Amino acid sequence: MASLPNFRLSREGRDTLFLLATIAAIVAPHGGHLPLWASAITALMLGWRAWLAWRSEALPGRWVLVAVLFVSAALTWITHRTLMGREAGITLLVMLMALKTLELRARRDAFVVFFLGFFLVLTNFLYSQSLFTALWTLLSVWALLSAVVLAQMPVGQPSLALAAKQAARTTLYGLPVMVFLFVLFPRIGPLWGVPADSVGRTGLSNRMDFGAMSEIANDDSIAMRLRFQGAPPPPQARYFRGPVLAQFDGKTWRPSPLQWPGRPDPLQTQGEALNYEMTLEPLRLSVLPLLEMSPEPAGSERTLGGLMMRRSPELQWTAERPITERLRLNASAFSQYRHGPIPGPGQIALVLQNYLELPPGFNPRTLAWAAELRRQPRFAPLSGAQLHPALAQAVLQYIASADFTYTLAPGRYGEVTPHLIDEFWFDRRLGFCEHFSAAFVVVMRAMGVPARIVTGFQGMDPQPQDGYWIVRNSNAHAWAEYWTPQAGWQRVDPTAAVAPERIQQGLALRPQPGVLAGAFGQFSPTLWLTLRQAWETLDNRWQQSVLNYSRQSQFDLLKSAGFEAPDWQLLGQVSAVLIALIALAGGAWSVWQQRPHDAWSRQRGRILKELHRLGLSEAAAHQGPGHWARLLRQGHGQAAEPAAQLLQKLERARYGQNAEVGLGAKARRQWWREFRAAGRMLRSKISP
């Protein structure tokens, strides 16, 4: 059987493959944001370059690169309609770096790739500032620095471990400066003020399609973290008010496009306020989901992270654009409140007509059922504030007594009939919160009671993590509000009628576990949950200690250091003093570095002094141990043989086949003792 040839990868091929692997790691986090064609072309170019390096074949010609560049620019223009801006710029940057690897012929080309790589690493923070992104960035920078060190070591074939160790050591040298810049460098805004991309994430939106909320169950990521001043609210009061949906076209619920005329509805709160701190993750909502009910009246304004928010007449905090950055705020809530218009007896305000509209021609069976319920004799003597609650209670009793089933997998509605509410209310009776709330609102409107859907979050994790209560995207929920005279809008949760544990315990929607979570579950039912909670705790500390480190944090640090009234001027003075100290330390370090510090330099100096004592004045630092051995033999003949052999041993240790290993510290000391003894013996022989 013929044996395979002994293949040994060259130094250039190994370093190139390592650099390509580093580039792939840097580009990987951008995979979810790049166009599909960009990811495919980048993978093909990196794979092609790796194949050429492995086979030691010639690189492609310049015209091939020009053609790929032209195609990439054209596709970028077609995709983004521009060659400027964040998305188009990052796409072009990735393509240019991949193209540059195909003309990686000299160290100059490698340094261009290094520069592009460091710049591309920074762009990861335009999408995410999580702890995972920071750790991945740290590893990527370490790998890039290791590649830079390899490019600066042209002699021999140093190992990757040696280059990585040198890169880590160099990074540690700059660590004090990095910490100083983080702690005291003036901040224009918080670090998390950089926009983050929320496209592609599941979660609440500003509309609700019938049946679409089941996708939220697949997103178990954190939506917000809360820390209460005191005990948290009871489970049945953990409602976080998001978009209010009033307009229904038979399939989709949307916010009301109408603006309420006249004065906004009065808001009255009772009891003691519950104060809390919230850290909100990036959402695709333009509504700030606060715990019901925050006390600010309609028309109030607040600014968070440069984002202006205004409270609408429906008491939702709306922003001028979707919330795509992490926000941290302090808020308060009242569990007892009343809001809504209160017209005269027997009247329905003009502003409430919008909450009575139903699409014509849809759901005739549900409308007929509602009309029949309204005509029942028990409701005839009721009027005013008693009628609407009685009708709402009757609908809830029907949901609880009929064979409705709460499930995350009800199947798709509307494939057989366009009457979605009819299909749910009479035929299938399978659904979750959005089905029940939508049907409830339609029935109430059909009976002449103003009603609307409120979406947001309900519930939290059973136990806090690191002092913070966790609300997940899978805690997304939809409930209803109906209006009653003299009491205004009343919250009602139809889901509680069929699945009370969902509300009373604040349980999140739970999908089927994935492959990884299932594997951990087979080994230990609680292991996956424990690991996830540990990681989320670390990520929360990263966000609170690092991402939320702001100007006020800098002033608080100066105050804790003994400064009574820290301000920008004091911060600048302290920074100037520290910069001067760092500059002095850097100068001292530079002077100290000019001295020989490595083992070989110190050893070489001692050897030269010994050779000069032996009369070899022509021995110089640029010569090697082998040359010094020849000088000894030429100057002193056979008497110098022991010392010459020791020098040849040192030559083999430094420049032989295993040059990168060399002599260890113990072996160097032993060698020096032997060489010094041989030198003393030689001096005794040549002395007159």
Side-chain angles (χ1 to χ4, degrees):
M1 181 177 179
S3 60
L4 294 174
N6 186 16
F7 178 77
R8 181 180 175 85
L9 193 63
S10 66
R11 159 78 184 276
E12 180 183 355
R14 186 204 64 178
D15 292 355
T16 301
L17 290 178
F18 176 73
L19 180 58
L20 292 174
T22 301
I23 293 173
I26 294 172
V27 175
H30 291 280
H33 310 288
L34 291 174
L36 182 60
W37 62 265
S39 299
I41 293 178
T42 301
L44 287 174
M45 287 192 291
L46 294 180
W48 185 15
R49 184 62 180 90
W51 173 256
L52 295 178
W54 182 265
R55 303 286 296 180
S56 298
E57 295 183 1
L59 297 180
R62 187 173 301 275
W63 288 110
V64 175
L65 303 182
V66 171
V68 176
L69 178 61
F70 177 79
V71 171
S72 301
L75 291 175
T76 302
W77 175 265
I78 294 174
T79 303
H80 301 290
R81 295 300 177 184
T82 182
L83 296 181
M84 307 295 291
R86 185 181 73 177
E87 303 298 335
I90 292 178
T91 300
L92 286 177
L93 181 62
V94 171
M95 303 304 299
L96 288 174
M97 188 168 69
L99 275 171
K100 190 61 182 178
T101 63
L102 291 173
E103 58 174 7
L104 198 61
R105 294 181 173 88
R107 284 208 306 167
R108 181 192 64 180
D109 300 320
F111 280 105
V112 173
V113 174
F114 298 152
F115 174 78
L116 292 175
F118 283 119
F119 190 81
L120 192 60
V121 164
L122 292 176
T123 61
N124 286 327
F125 291 105
L126 294 175
Y127 298 107
S128 173
Q129 299 90 43
S130 67
L131 179 59
F132 178 80
T133 301
L135 293 176
W136 188 266
T137 299
L138 179 63
L139 293 176
S140 301
V141 170
W142 186 18
L144 270 177
L145 289 175
S146 301
V148 172
V149 172
L150 285 175
Q152 300 286 357
M153 304 172 73
V155 178
Q157 189 165 352
S159 66
L160 295 178
L162 182 64
K165 185 183 299 184
Q166 182 63 37
R169 186 183 301 114
T170 304
T171 303
L172 289 177
Y173 291 157
L175 186 61
V177 179
M178 182 191 72
V179 172
F180 158 71
L181 292 175
F182 172 78
V183 172
L184 291 178
F185 191 81
R187 278 165 167 71
I188 298 176
L191 291 180
W192 40 257
V194 178
D197 189 9
S198 61
V199 177
R201 294 184 57 183
T202 59
L204 287 177
S205 67
N206 294 313
R207 51 181 279 177
M208 188 180 79
D209 292 318
F210 203 70
M213 193 173 285
S214 61
E215 299 177 1
I216 304 176
N218 297 319
D219 187 0
D220 208 25
S221 61
I222 295 176
M224 65 186 83
R225 294 178 172 90
L226 303 107
R227 184 163 56 187
F228 296 95
Q229 296 182 8
Q236 62 271 20
R238 297 172 182 176
Y239 285 86
F240 298 84
R241 190 179 189 86
V244 178
L245 310 177
Q247 192 175 38
F248 183 47
D249 61 6
K251 180 181 180 181
T252 302
W253 292 85
R254 294 181 175 86
S256 174
L258 302 178
Q259 297 294 328
W260 290 14
R263 295 184 303 170
D265 294 341
L267 172 63
Q268 299 176 4
T269 57
Q270 298 178 358
E272 186 177 354
L274 177 65
N275 299 314
Y276 62 97
E277 173 192 290
M278 171 190 287
T279 301
L280 184 68
E281 295 296 317
L283 303 172
R284 60 178 181 177
L285 286 174
S286 58
V287 176
L288 180 66
L290 293 183
L291 187 66
E292 287 190 330
M293 178 65 71
S294 57
E296 296 83 0
S300 301
E301 295 182 350
R302 64 189 307 171
T303 302
L304 293 173
L307 190 63
M308 176 63 70
M309 297 186 179
R310 183 181 178 88
R311 198 159 203 206
S312 72
E314 296 171 324
L315 298 185
Q316 50 186 339
W317 284 98
T318 58
E320 52 193 4
R321 57 176 174 81
I323 301 173
T324 56
E325 63 260 16
R326 184 176 290 106
L327 298 178
R328 186 181 184 186
L329 64 145
N330 294 313
S332 59
F334 290 83
S335 59
Q336 301 179 25
Y337 59 90
R338 192 206 64 76
H339 77 102
I342 304 179
Q347 298 178 353
I348 294 182
L350 177 63
V351 295
L352 295 175
Q353 295 296 332
N354 187 48
Y355 303 109
L356 288 170
E357 294 180 356
L358 290 171
F362 282 91
N363 308 302
R365 289 188 292 166
T366 302
L367 300 185
W369 183 91
E372 182 179 354
L373 176 64
R374 176 64 181 84
R375 288 193 298 267
Q376 289 185 6
R378 55 175 169 160
F379 300 118
L382 300 180
S383 62
Q386 294 79 29
L387 177 61
H388 292 182
L391 293 174
Q393 188 62 32
V395 177
L396 294 177
Q397 289 177 353
Y398 173 77
I399 294 175
S401 60
D403 54 347
F404 285 95
T405 301
Y406 180 82
T407 175
L408 289 176
R412 185 179 297 276
Y413 281 86
E415 294 183 343
V416 178
T417 173
H419 307 297
L420 304 180
I421 304 299
D422 280 356
E423 186 178 1
F424 167 73
W425 199 248
F426 296 102
D427 301 331
R428 299 172 60 181
R429 296 184 175 180
L430 301 172
F432 41 94
C433 59
E434 69 176 68
H435 298 91
F436 290 99
S437 60
F440 177 87
V441 170
V442 169
V443 170
M444 294 298 289
R445 289 186 178 187
M447 294 188 295
V449 180
R452 61 195 185 191
I453 293 177
V454 183
T455 60
F457 299 91
Q458 198 282 327
M460 303 181 295
D461 280 2
Q463 299 296 328
Q465 294 183 21
D466 199 28
Y468 288 85
W469 293 85
I470 304 299
V471 178
R472 302 183 181 277
N473 282 305
S474 52
N475 283 107
H477 192 55
W479 60 95
E481 288 181 340
Y482 70 92
W483 177 84
T484 180
Q486 301 180 1
W489 290 103
Q490 301 294 305
R491 183 178 66 206
V492 60
D493 198 335
T495 303
V498 66
E501 70 282 354
R502 167 66 178 90
I503 308 305
Q504 295 174 4
Q505 301 178 21
L507 300 178
L509 305 176
R510 295 298 181 191
Q512 292 295 324
V515 176
L516 185 59
F520 277 101
Q522 292 292 331
F523 178 74
S524 173
T526 60
L527 180 58
W528 174 256
L529 180 61
T530 302
L531 292 176
R532 189 188 69 176
Q533 290 178 347
W535 171 258
E536 291 175 347
T537 298
L538 288 176
D539 189 61
N540 178 52
R541 294 188 180 183
W542 160 263
Q543 293 178 15
Q544 301 299 331
S545 302
V546 179
L547 298 183
N548 287 330
Y549 188 82
S550 60
R551 289 173 290 182
Q552 187 59 45
S553 302
Q554 293 176 318
F555 293 153
D556 293 341
L557 178 63
L558 293 178
K559 187 178 296 184
S560 64
F563 298 98
E564 295 182 357
D567 54 13
W568 283 114
Q569 183 177 2
L570 178 61
L571 182 63
Q573 294 172 351
V574 174
S575 300
V577 171
L578 290 178
I579 289 175
L581 292 176
I582 292 175
L584 290 175
W589 174 266
S590 178
V591 172
W592 186 71
Q593 279 289 93
Q594 293 178 4
R595 301 175 52 199
H597 298 290
D598 62 282
W600 166 239
S601 298
R602 293 191 298 269
Q603 187 182 47
R604 180 176 56 194
R606 291 195 295 265
I607 294 173
L608 288 173
K609 290 181 180 179
E610 185 67 25
L611 292 176
H612 292 163
R613 293 193 191 101
L614 295 173
L616 299 179
S617 59
E618 65 272 26
H622 67 275
Q623 300 164 349
H627 187 78
W628 296 335
R630 289 193 295 272
L631 292 178
L632 274 175
R633 291 189 177 102
Q634 292 172 6
H636 301 293
Q638 187 63 30
E641 190 61 28
Q645 289 182 2
L646 287 171
L647 289 172
Q648 286 181 333
K649 177 182 178 181
L650 182 61
E651 174 83 9
R652 290 190 298 271
R654 285 197 56 80
Y655 304 110
Q657 185 176 3
N658 297 323
E660 64 175 292
V661 178
L663 294 175
K666 184 177 181 181
R668 286 196 304 271
R669 290 193 295 269
Q670 178 64 28
W671 183 92
W672 174 245
R673 286 193 294 267
E674 294 177 0
F675 182 75
R676 188 169 54 180
R680 285 196 300 267
M681 183 180 298
L682 180 58
R683 284 198 304 272
S684 65
K685 291 180 180 180
I686 64 178
S687 297

